[in-house]
Amino acid sequence: MKHLFVPLLLLIGLSAVAQQSPAKFSLDVRYLLSLPDGYDADSTRKWPLLIFLHGSGESGIDLDKVKVHGPPKLVEAGKKFPLIIVSPQSDFGGWDAGILQRLILDLKTHYRVDADRVYMTGLSMGGYGTWEYASRFAGDLAAIVPICGGGRPEDAWKMRYLPTWCFHGGKDNVVLPSQSADMINALKPFQPGVKFTVYPDAGHDSWTEAYNSDSLWTWLLAQRRHEFKPATVAPATLAKYAGVYVRSGRDTVVITPAENALQLQAGRGKELLKPASETVFYWMDKAPVDIIFNKEGFLFRGWQLEQYKKVK
């Protein structure tokens, strides 16, 4: 018993004097930066920003590797673009959407970025990274151009307000064309105007032809971030939507009128629904969630439509 008691006292003594101090781990993100001609001539003008995500072969700590494909290659060859181009390098063989968002926030702080014209594109691993970022932070972007990548079709609804042009090689045996096709097919019901170009004779390298297309750049620069501006709805219209709604006899929500809005309550949770029109209301999650009123009640639009019926 004596041998057990002494170590216990020592442990108690150690814990009494143990201390913790603040510390921090910083992550450096290397990137290539290309500023457009005229950037320094007007200190008030804001410029579109393009984030380019490279493929797995360009990962590492040598930034020159990022210049071998895509927009950095074109810039290196002397092509001029009327936008800021930032090409980060991944040193761990993947893209982290959270880190990329922090990078974009930092760029907006240090450069004159037009927040309504932030674009993202990537090839192969970068195509996957582009889809992933859009599935998490669609509201940050004005348009995406994923090339020979893929994503989760169940997340496509989150990108329904995000203009998209996807490219793939018909003979790609590294990332199968079905990876892009699955995303486009999932997105079409929400965004009928989504663009999908398949180069029938191209293998994995479908990006060279895509980035050399002037029509791609013309289209991209014409895109702006979707503006969620509430419409004005008459109080009488709001009042008729008040009531209790049930889905599948289980989930119950209560809707009450508010000032040019509707209050939705599910259990203890509440969301303020803003009107997009007299029949469509939304709230902002990581992506906008839609409530579409119809004769039976309303449709909740997540990755699929779910009917809630009005019971009273």
Side-chain angles (χ1 to χ4, degrees):
M1 186 69 182
K2 179 180 179 182
H3 295 291
L4 292 174
F5 184 65
V6 173
L8 181 60
L9 286 176
L10 289 174
L11 286 174
I12 293 173
L14 285 173
S15 64
V17 298
Q19 295 182 356
Q20 298 183 82
S21 58
K24 182 173 69 173
F25 170 75
S26 297
L27 179 65
D28 291 329
V29 178
R30 296 174 302 279
Y31 58 85
L32 296 173
L33 170 69
S34 172
L35 296 176
D37 286 349
Y39 181 85
D40 293 326
D42 185 347
S43 61
T44 62
R45 180 178 176 181
K46 293 189 175 182
W47 294 82
L49 167 66
L50 174 68
I51 303 294
F52 166 70
L53 306 182
H54 63 70
S56 60
E58 294 73 68
S59 299
I61 57 174
D62 180 3
L63 265 177
D64 283 339
K65 295 170 66 176
V66 181
K67 301 176 183 178
V68 302
H69 296 304
K73 179 181 179 180
L74 296 175
V75 170
E76 195 71 5
K79 187 173 178 64
K80 303 293 186 180
F81 292 96
L83 40 68
I84 302 168
I85 300 177
V86 169
S87 306
Q89 185 176 39
S90 169
D91 60 1
F92 50 84
W95 291 107
D96 184 298
I99 292 175
L100 289 172
Q101 188 184 52
R102 288 163 60 190
L103 170 63
I104 292 173
L105 291 173
D106 185 76
L107 293 170
K108 289 177 179 178
T109 300
H110 291 93
Y111 301 96
R112 297 194 307 278
V113 173
D114 183 345
D116 290 324
R117 300 177 73 194
V118 177
Y119 312 116
M120 183 172 288
T121 184
L123 58 90
S124 195
M125 181 181 83
Y128 282 95
T130 300
W131 283 117
E132 173 66 19
Y133 191 95
S135 74
R136 292 184 57 189
F137 308 113
D140 292 351
L141 303 174
I144 58 170
V145 182
I147 301 178
C148 59
R152 296 181 297 273
E154 61 269 24
D155 287 337
W157 68 274
K158 301 176 183 178
M159 309 169 213
R160 61 194 177 281
Y161 299 114
L162 181 62
T164 301
W165 193 345
C166 179
F167 293 84
H168 216 115
K171 296 181 179 178
D172 192 337
N173 59 4
V174 178
V175 178
L176 297 180
S178 60
Q179 293 285 297
S180 287
D182 288 347
M183 292 302 297
I184 296 302
N185 290 335
L187 189 53
K188 273 185 178 178
F190 305 109
Q191 189 190 136
V194 64
K195 297 167 71 70
F196 185 30
T197 297
V198 177
Y199 297 121
D201 296 323
H204 190 46
D205 180 4
S206 52
W207 54 82
T208 297
E209 190 168 357
Y211 289 131
N212 280 329
S213 170
D214 288 339
S215 60
L216 167 61
W217 299 105
T218 300
W219 173 86
L220 187 67
L221 288 166
Q223 308 307 314
R224 300 184 68 86
R225 182 168 57 172
H226 181 78
E227 183 180 6
F228 291 95
K229 187 176 181 180
T232 300
V233 177
T237 300
L238 298 173
K240 74 178 183 180
Y241 295 139
V244 178
Y245 297 78
V246 176
R247 179 179 70 94
S248 302
R250 297 177 289 115
D251 299 334
T252 300
V253 301
V254 178
I255 291 180
T256 54
E259 184 177 351
N260 197 43
L262 294 171
Q263 183 78 58
L264 182 149
Q265 181 169 354
R268 295 183 179 179
K270 292 183 178 181
E271 294 290 349
L272 190 66
L273 308 180
K274 298 179 181 180
S277 69
E278 288 193 347
T279 57
V280 180
F281 290 71
Y282 67 92
W283 82 78
M284 294 299 296
D285 194 2
K286 292 178 181 177
V289 177
D290 294 342
I291 299 294
I292 308 165
F293 287 94
N294 55 25
K295 292 181 180 180
E296 295 186 28
F298 68 80
L299 289 166
F300 172 88
R301 181 155 66 180
W303 74 275
Q304 63 182 9
L305 291 173
E306 298 174 288
Q307 179 72 57
Y308 280 74
K309 294 185 178 180
K310 190 172 185 178
V311 294
K312 61 180 179 178

